[in-house]
Amino acid sequence: MGLTDSGWVINLIAGLAIAVGVVGVVVPVLPGLLLSWAGVLLWAALGEGSVAVRWLTFGVATAVVLLGTLIKYLVPGRRLKSAGVPNSALLAGGLLGVIGFFVIPVIGLPLGFVLGIYLVERTRLGPGQAWPSTKRAVAAAGMALLIEFTAALAVAVIWVFGLLWSGWQLP
C-alpha cells in the first residue's frame, strides 16, 4: 500500500475527524461526538480491510455514542432537578454563554454561562443562595461534558482497535 492509495487517505480523514471530534467536545463550537461518530462511519463505508470488522466497529461505536448521549442528559439533569435549579437558569446561562463567546472568544462561553445562571438564581433565590445553586449547575454541566468526552474517547479507541483488527497495515 502506498501513500497514493485511497485506503490510506480514508483512514487519515476518518482519524482526523475522530480526533477533531474529541477536541470538539471540549471546544463547544464543534459537534464533537457527532463528528467522531461520522469519522467511524466514513471509515466503515469506504475503508480497507475486513468489511465485517469495519461495520462491527461502527455498530459498537454507534452504541457507545447513543449510550453516552443518553447518560449525558439523564445524569446531570437528575442532579439539577434534585438541586432545584430551574430550566430558566440553564437557558439564561446558555444564552449569555453564546453572547459571551462572541464578546470574549473561547473563554466568554463559560463566563457567560456561569453569569447567566448566577443572575437568574440571584433573582430567584437572593444573593445568599445564588452562588451555591450556580455551583451545582456548573458541576452538572461539567459532568455532562465529562460524560461526552469519555464517550468520544471510547469511540476513538474502538476505531483504533477496529482499524488494527480489520487487517489495515501501515504503508
Side-chain angles (χ1 to χ4, degrees):
M1 179 188 301
L3 289 177
T4 59
D5 292 340
S6 64
W8 173 257
V9 173
I10 296 299
N11 291 342
L12 179 64
I13 292 170
L16 286 173
I18 292 166
V20 169
V22 170
V23 172
V25 170
V26 180
V27 180
V29 177
L30 303 170
L33 196 53
L34 182 62
L35 193 56
S36 292
W37 176 82
V40 178
L41 174 61
L42 173 75
W43 172 75
L46 303 175
E48 290 182 347
S50 170
V51 174
V53 170
R54 290 194 329 256
W55 286 108
L56 176 63
T57 302
F58 174 71
V60 173
T62 299
V64 167
V65 167
L66 292 174
L67 185 62
T69 301
L70 180 67
I71 293 171
K72 172 188 163 185
Y73 288 110
L74 287 180
V75 172
R78 189 170 296 150
R79 283 188 172 197
L80 287 171
K81 191 175 223 179
S82 69
V85 178
N87 289 337
S88 60
L90 297 176
L91 184 62
L95 184 62
L96 279 180
V98 170
I99 293 169
F101 180 79
F102 292 106
V103 174
I104 308 169
V106 182
I107 64 167
L109 181 75
L111 292 175
F113 180 73
V114 172
L115 180 63
I117 292 172
Y118 178 77
L119 291 175
V120 168
E121 292 299 274
R122 183 177 168 97
T123 303
R124 186 175 75 92
L125 300 172
Q129 292 298 316
W131 185 242
S133 182
T134 301
K135 287 194 303 188
R136 286 190 293 273
V138 170
M143 168 89 54
L145 180 90
L146 183 62
I147 291 167
E148 187 175 2
F149 184 72
T150 302
L153 280 179
V155 166
V157 169
I158 289 165
W159 175 73
V160 168
F161 278 111
L163 185 67
L164 296 174
W165 189 27
S166 72
W168 176 78
Q169 297 176 5
L170 289 171

